[in-house]
Amino acid sequence: MKVEIKDLSTHVGQEVELHGWVQNKRESKTLTFVILRDGSGFCQCIFDLNVLGEEAFNEVSALGLESSLSVKGKVVADERQVGGFEIHATGFHVYQNCGEYPIAKKEHGVEFLMDHRHLWLRSKRQWAIMRVRNAVIFSIHNFFQKEGFVQMDAPIFTGNACEGTTELFETDFFGQPAYLTQSGQLYGEAMAMAMGKIYTFGPTFRAEKSKTRRHLAEFWMIEPEMAFFDIFDDMDLIEQFVRYVITDVMSRCKEELEILERDTTVLEKISNPFIRLTYDDAVAIIKGEKEVNGRKTIEVLEEDLRNTVQQIADLKADIESRETAINAGGMKKGQVNFNLNAIDKNKNTIKQLEEDERNIPQWIESAKNFTYGGDFGGSDETVLTRMFEVPVMVYDWPHEVKAFYLKRNPDNPKLARGVDLLAPEGYGEVVGGGERETNEQMLIEKINEHGLPMEAFEWYLDLRRFGSVPHAGFGLGLERMVAWICHLPHVRETIPFPRMYGRIEP
Ligand code: 4AD
Ligand code: MG
């Protein structure tokens, strides 16, 4: 019977047939162990010379990594094995025995892996990340659907800039210049006036020439837009939404998060209320003028730095003592491997800590020197969120640093009613949103101030002329959310085929 690995638990003791690829293989004289992956999971298959006979046994033993085959055999429960089951093979069929697999080795650099993204996707870590991405997408739809939102799609070709004119990809639309959309929001506003509560979910494009760990040129954004919502309703929804998605994904992706070695204690804090700060308060905290729980940013960072230096020293000492023990000889092979693995792991941790060691002094400098009125950079976000265990929402920003469409605070028109949700652990802005300007004159002024072509916004201004109401919305960057949930160093691994400055292939 043809089954998928994920369903093996319902077939214990039965003969089944699996179809997949050789993820890993090791041999002894009479037994060959293949870790088969079929996309639904991983399962060890045992091929026995005495069961299969010499010819078949030699054929399976010669299979290269990522060779494709089907395996017939009996399902045996074994807790110690990946997935909890193994197959005692009675037969198999090879679809293709492939030659040396290009990315089999452990020590490939990230650029090499990115060049082989079409194959890299098969690795266990990438498998886990893509499944988390899938779970996040599913949870997002679930949340909005159960809240009564209608999904509506915004166009990808647009005639106007939404988030600033410097980041547009221009293209040719039947001889007319057009741009790939930076955000579906403006159309979302029109659709919300028709449907009440909508969300868009689509690809968006930014021609930013930035090579940071948070920027893609093509990314997926979820943009809800709600009629009769103000900035505070908006923040309530952001909080509810982010809490729902993370809680749901944590419960449905336990195996994946384990494969990724994600420490989920930080994510679990999501059930506590999020922090809400005005821009003014956030700046005072960043600069160390305002304390959080009796502590100032600069002193917390200085302590982090001391701890980091100490941790590096401890890990280096640990490596040294393991190496000495190995070199002394007389250790069993299993023990040597165990120690070599521990050394590898320590070296990776040291790499990350050394990055912190380089970064923290820069964070301290930029926190001290932050000038009121500016937008937050990545390091400012890291410094601010370091002071809290839950996501932080910063609202009421100086209007000059935010988009043209944001409403002014009626009590202080210098401030725009935008909100950014900043994630902990250095992930920074994952959501940007706010209440929209409803005053037509204010919008016209802003459109001119930003040097945007008025004709392209005539339809948008109609929304303020015919049944205008208070409304608000936000945009969640899917890849940043996935990077945070999986605790990845870079967004490039959160999307199957990343498009970013310096990369359009494969
Ligand atoms: O803050 P942004 O630019 O806001 C908007 O586009 C609004 N129109 C959203 C709205 O209110 N409807 O982008 C929203 C989010 C960011 O918080 C970030 O998570 C993600 O989109 N994002 C990017 N993700 C990856 N690469 C980039 N270059 C990104 N730029 C923004
Ligand atoms: Mg933003």
Side-chain angles (χ1 to χ4, degrees):
M1 190 188 347
K2 192 171 167 181
V3 301
E4 289 180 52
I5 291 173
K6 69 173 169 48
D7 299 324
L8 284 179
S9 65
T10 56
H11 296 281
V12 178
Q14 298 171 8
E15 283 274 328
V16 299
E17 189 175 11
L18 298 178
H19 292 72
W21 295 263
V22 176
Q23 198 234 349
N24 220 331
K25 200 188 73 183
R26 71 193 161 84
E27 299 116 294
S28 69
K29 269 202 193 96
T30 58
L31 295 174
T32 287
F33 302 90
V34 168
I35 303 287
L36 192 81
R37 55 165 201 89
D38 73 349
S40 85
F42 302 82
C43 177
Q44 171 160 284
C45 302
I46 304 176
F47 299 86
D48 187 337
L49 170 65
N50 297 320
V51 175
L52 297 167
E54 199 169 331
E55 196 183 329
F57 183 75
N58 288 344
E59 188 187 2
V60 83
S61 303
L63 292 179
L65 289 184
E66 289 302 322
S67 292
S68 43
L69 72 160
S70 64
V71 182
K72 274 196 186 123
K74 193 167 141 190
V75 183
V76 177
D78 185 345
E79 272 175 19
R80 294 164 306 171
Q81 299 309 331
V82 277
F85 304 94
E86 60 183 21
I87 300 287
H88 294 184
T90 52
F92 61 89
H93 166 77
V94 174
Y95 287 93
Q96 185 186 44
N97 177 9
C98 60
E100 199 177 331
Y101 188 58
I103 59 169
K105 294 199 192 69
K106 239 185 181 178
E107 61 273 16
H108 291 308
V110 104
E111 280 307 309
F112 179 88
L113 291 169
M114 291 291 291
D115 287 340
H116 293 82
R117 184 65 176 164
H118 50 295
L119 300 178
W120 189 24
L121 283 172
R122 303 180 188 189
S123 80
K124 199 165 187 180
R125 266 181 69 81
Q126 300 306 315
W127 176 85
I129 295 168
M130 289 303 130
R131 286 176 61 96
V132 171
R133 179 184 169 103
N134 173 64
V136 170
I137 293 170
F138 185 78
S139 291
I140 288 170
H141 282 296
N142 258 351
F143 176 83
F144 286 121
Q145 294 294 330
K146 88 181 163 50
E147 294 293 323
F149 286 64
V150 175
Q151 189 199 338
M152 286 178 86
D153 302 309
I156 288 172
F157 285 120
T158 62
N160 52 38
C162 181
E163 300 293 328
T165 47
T166 53
E167 300 173 2
L168 288 168
F169 282 110
E170 192 172 327
T171 149
D172 178 281
F173 188 77
F174 305 118
Q176 246 191 14
Y179 309 103
L180 299 184
T181 187
Q182 299 169 306
S183 152
Q185 180 200 315
L186 305 185
Y187 301 96
E189 289 183 49
M191 298 187 288
M193 298 304 125
M195 317 298 284
K197 292 188 294 192
I198 65 95
Y199 67 108
T200 66
F201 197 145
T204 46
F205 307 86
R206 305 272 168 105
E208 266 167 294
K209 288 188 174 160
S210 47
K211 278 197 164 168
T212 78
R213 54 204 199 90
R214 301 173 180 187
H215 287 92
L216 293 168
E218 175 180 304
F219 63 98
W220 287 69
M221 188 151 54
I222 296 87
E223 297 185 88
E225 192 71 31
M226 298 75 67
F228 305 103
F229 263 53
D230 66 14
I231 177 81
F232 301 100
D233 300 325
D234 204 26
M235 287 195 275
D236 289 345
L237 187 74
I238 293 172
E239 179 166 347
Q240 226 187 319
F241 165 63
V242 170
R243 180 174 296 130
Y244 175 88
V245 171
I246 291 192
T247 313
D248 192 41
V249 170
M250 271 199 300
S251 79
R252 289 192 295 116
C253 292
K254 290 209 167 71
E255 184 192 351
E256 291 83 354
L257 294 172
E258 231 164 72
I259 290 171
L260 296 167
E261 297 180 346
R262 174 54 155 138
D263 171 3
T264 51
T265 46
V266 182
L267 293 180
E268 279 151 20
K269 301 263 162 52
I270 205 83
S271 53
N272 298 320
F274 293 7
I275 304 294
R276 297 180 191 196
L277 297 170
T278 61
Y279 172 86
D280 285 29
D281 283 342
V283 170
I285 292 171
I286 290 171
K287 291 176 74 71
E289 291 160 0
K290 192 173 167 154
E291 294 182 346
V292 178
N293 299 325
R295 307 197 67 196
K296 294 190 169 129
T297 45
I298 315 284
E299 73 187 54
V300 169
L301 291 169
E302 281 169 350
E303 189 183 304
D304 284 353
L305 186 58
R306 284 193 297 275
N307 287 338
T308 307
V309 171
Q310 187 58 48
Q311 274 174 2
I312 294 173
D314 292 349
L315 287 169
K316 283 188 172 163
D318 184 82
I319 291 177
E320 212 178 295
S321 77
R322 285 178 199 274
E323 279 173 346
T324 316
I326 294 171
N327 292 336
M331 204 184 268
K332 281 198 183 124
K333 198 179 162 202
Q335 275 238 277
V336 172
N337 280 339
F338 175 82
N339 278 300
L340 285 175
N341 274 337
I343 290 171
D344 252 11
K345 214 167 172 184
N346 283 347
K347 281 186 178 163
N348 271 332
T349 316
I350 289 175
K351 255 193 220 153
Q352 287 161 20
L353 289 168
E354 281 174 344
E355 201 180 321
D356 288 346
E357 190 185 10
R358 282 190 300 274
N359 284 335
I360 296 173
Q362 293 173 21
W363 296 341
I364 294 175
E365 268 321 286
S366 87
K368 276 184 189 158
N369 299 328
F370 187 87
T371 327
Y372 181 94
D375 202 354
F376 292 172
S379 60
D380 307 309
E381 293 175 356
T382 304
V383 170
L384 180 65
T385 51
R386 172 65 188 84
M387 305 303 286
F388 305 95
E389 288 190 319
V390 291
V392 179
M393 287 191 269
V394 180
Y395 68 100
D396 274 0
W397 292 75
H399 74 89
E400 296 89 346
V401 300
K402 287 287 173 194
F404 77 93
Y405 50 70
L406 287 173
K407 184 184 173 69
R408 300 301 174 85
N409 178 337
D411 301 323
N412 181 357
K414 284 195 170 62
L415 302 176
R417 301 233 102 157
V419 53
D420 281 1
L421 176 100
L422 310 178
E425 302 175 276
Y427 285 93
E429 185 195 330
V430 292
V431 170
E435 188 173 340
R436 317 309 184 190
E437 185 57 78
T438 44
N439 181 309
E440 188 185 343
Q441 271 321 304
M442 292 279 274
L443 272 176
I444 290 174
E445 254 171 54
K446 266 288 179 186
I447 290 168
N448 284 327
E449 200 182 299
H450 283 244
L452 298 166
M454 196 60 68
E455 327 77 76
F457 289 90
E458 272 307 318
W459 69 263
Y460 183 69
L461 292 172
D462 264 358
L463 306 176
R464 273 66 181 174
R465 295 172 187 142
F466 304 105
S468 178
V469 301
H471 62 288
F474 61 86
L476 168 81
L478 176 64
E479 289 73 18
R480 288 194 190 174
M481 183 78 161
V482 174
W484 171 33
I485 293 178
C486 296
H487 202 259
L488 304 178
H490 199 293
V491 287
R492 66 186 155 216
E493 284 180 57
T494 63
I495 184 164
F497 292 96
R499 297 291 175 251
M500 54 204 219
Y501 186 47
R503 178 166 300 275
I504 192 165
E505 280 170 344

